[in-house]
Amino acid sequence: MGEDPDFPMRMAELSATSGVPVPTVKLYLREGLLPPGERTSPNQARYGPAHVRRLLLVRALREVANLPVAAIKVILGALDDPAGTLHDALGAAQEAITPAPGPAPGPAAARAAATVDRLSAEQGWSGCASPARSAVEGALAAIYALGADNGGSDALLSAYAGAAQQVARADLAGVAAEPDADQVLTTAVVWTVLGDAVLAGLRRMAQQEASARVFGG
Amino acid sequence: MGEDPDFPMRMAELSATSGVPVPTVKLYLREGLLPPGERTSPNQARYGPAHVRRLLLVRALREVANLPVAAIKVILGALDDPAGTLHDALGAAQEAITPAPGPAPGPAAARAAATVDRLSAEQGWSGCASPARSAVEGALAAIYALGADNGGSDALLSAYAGAAQQVARADLAGVAAEPDADQVLTTAVVWTVLGDAVLAGLRRMAQQEASARVFGG
């Protein structure tokens, strides 16, 4: 049987090329996170470069971003079958990756909503209802309910919103600079999800430095 | 039997005051995330304001920050038994809440390490090894391995580091402004953990606005 040039790799080569162990590859196949290879016999399949890319993406979403399997499936669906404008497709992918518990109704929730309105006005955002807005309100309401909003909380949150604005503009410039049109949505999803981890980690590095200066022995 | 003024509440009142449902309170007690109440009979216990605060904190760490039970126990341990300077205690709490997978060795990992060195130099950070640094390197290596670092990636990451610096300074100013010395560490932990969720959500709100402008139909 001749070799299909689009699917040059056996499972062992797919694993070696991607750096993902064979048992993990098999798990992703079983979970439907990786499409099946091209079958060459009842017990053998071959894989191509698209499998390597998908494998790396799935592993990053699972192991670095810690997303549940269900959320990863929604993201992969949005990537494989994008609808409408790029803005629509980005929005669908973003909804899939933003957990939006939202606060339970109460005084803390009302105060959180007022804060998000204020920050939106400061930054010139529409402040429309969205999973992102619910996520912010949920986290803020938890902070308020805990009484952890010390004197500096209003100025602190304005600093957060300003930093978010700055990062989002850089994010969009990065996505717009992606030279491969087929990769724009993947690039946007990767940076949205893994960018959270990068930003959170950098914030903690910066906190360590600032804490050493302010509170160090 | 007289009522202990430090423990005025039965389970039902604890639930009503905190807004946490009774089955959830019982779960946290079983998991050791909430200390037992003051026993008043073999089948009854009473709870105090410290239980309400702890309950709200545990729920926020679990349901808003999605931390696993083991990580929450480490955080609560650091809060209950802080050691050394406030900087040391903050560091211990931060280690507990920062997942640090770190990248697998390889070209992407080496490039990620070089990037973090560059960003640290730009911001004047020591760049010492830490869970935060490992987390940044792990996420960056995943981005590099995916080939998602388009033309703008260096400038983009400088924008991330600048934003992180800005937020961390505001964070520390907020912690330093906490008027209740007993609450400083709790405030720091709450803002470190829930601040990630606030910042990530605000970033997505800002992305939506920027995406509508750049890619909207």
Side-chain angles (χ1 to χ4, degrees):
Chain A
M1 184 186 290
E3 201 174 280
D4 185 333
D6 286 342
F7 300 99
M9 285 175 282
R10 289 163 191 253
M11 170 74 77
E13 294 162 282
L14 176 63
S15 166
T17 305
S18 63
V20 178
V22 168
T24 307
V25 177
K26 289 185 172 170
L27 174 69
Y28 293 170
L29 283 166
R30 278 200 306 278
E31 290 175 335
L33 296 174
L34 186 69
E38 184 84 343
R39 248 195 210 281
T40 52
S41 80
N43 298 315
Q44 276 224 324
R46 299 186 76 93
Y47 303 88
H51 285 96
V52 176
R53 284 195 300 272
R54 177 57 50 101
L55 202 45
L56 290 171
L57 177 60
V58 169
R59 190 176 53 169
L61 295 175
R62 271 188 78 143
E63 295 181 15
V64 184
N66 290 314
L67 290 180
V69 171
I72 297 175
K73 284 190 175 166
V74 177
I75 293 172
L76 297 178
L79 290 178
D80 291 338
D81 187 17
T85 64
L86 184 54
H87 173 63
D88 295 333
L90 285 175
Q94 207 198 46
E95 286 213 17
I97 54 197
T98 307
R111 199 178 146 202
T115 299
V116 178
D117 284 339
R118 175 178 70 76
L119 297 174
S120 298
E122 279 178 14
Q123 299 295 333
W125 303 334
S126 65
C128 297
S130 69
R133 185 178 166 130
S134 297
V136 175
E137 288 185 16
L140 275 180
I143 289 171
Y144 291 151
L146 280 160
D149 60 319
N150 45 55
S153 150
D154 279 357
L156 176 55
L157 288 168
S158 292
Y160 275 59
Q165 177 84 300
Q166 188 176 318
V167 164
R169 284 186 177 153
D171 282 330
L172 266 285
V175 170
E178 166 61 55
D180 180 349
D182 286 349
Q183 287 298 306
V184 169
L185 204 53
T186 304
T187 296
V189 166
V190 166
W191 275 97
T192 297
V193 176
L194 296 182
D196 281 348
V198 171
L199 187 57
L202 288 171
R203 173 176 169 240
R204 290 183 195 187
M205 289 181 66
Q207 285 176 335
Q208 282 164 11
E209 305 288 331
S211 160
R213 270 200 319 278
V214 177
F215 298 119
Chain B
M1 186 188 292
E3 200 173 283
D4 184 334
D6 286 342
F7 300 99
M9 287 175 280
R10 290 163 190 253
M11 169 75 75
E13 294 161 281
L14 176 64
S15 166
T17 304
S18 64
V20 178
V22 169
T24 306
V25 176
K26 289 185 172 171
L27 175 68
Y28 294 170
L29 283 167
R30 278 201 305 278
E31 291 176 335
L33 297 174
L34 187 68
E38 183 83 344
R39 243 181 224 287
T40 53
S41 80
N43 298 315
Q44 276 224 325
R46 301 186 75 93
Y47 304 89
H51 285 96
V52 175
R53 285 195 301 273
R54 176 59 49 101
L55 202 44
L56 290 170
L57 176 60
V58 169
R59 188 175 56 169
L61 295 176
R62 270 188 80 142
E63 294 181 17
V64 183
N66 290 314
L67 289 180
V69 171
I72 297 176
K73 284 192 176 166
V74 177
I75 293 172
L76 298 178
L79 290 178
D80 291 338
D81 188 16
T85 65
L86 185 53
H87 173 63
D88 296 333
L90 285 175
Q94 207 199 44
E95 286 213 17
I97 55 196
T98 307
R111 199 178 145 202
T115 299
V116 178
D117 284 338
R118 176 177 70 77
L119 297 174
S120 297
E122 278 178 15
Q123 299 296 332
W125 302 335
S126 65
C128 297
S130 70
R133 184 178 169 132
S134 297
V136 176
E137 289 185 16
L140 274 180
I143 290 171
Y144 291 151
L146 280 161
D149 58 319
N150 45 56
S153 152
D154 278 356
L156 176 54
L157 288 169
S158 291
Y160 275 57
Q165 177 84 300
Q166 190 176 317
V167 164
R169 285 186 176 154
D171 282 330
L172 266 283
V175 169
E178 168 61 55
D180 180 347
D182 287 348
Q183 288 297 305
V184 169
L185 203 54
T186 304
T187 296
V189 165
V190 166
W191 276 97
T192 297
V193 176
L194 296 181
D196 280 349
V198 171
L199 187 57
L202 288 170
R203 173 176 169 238
R204 291 185 194 184
M205 288 181 68
Q207 286 177 334
Q208 282 162 11
E209 305 287 331
S211 160
R213 271 201 318 277
V214 178
F215 299 119

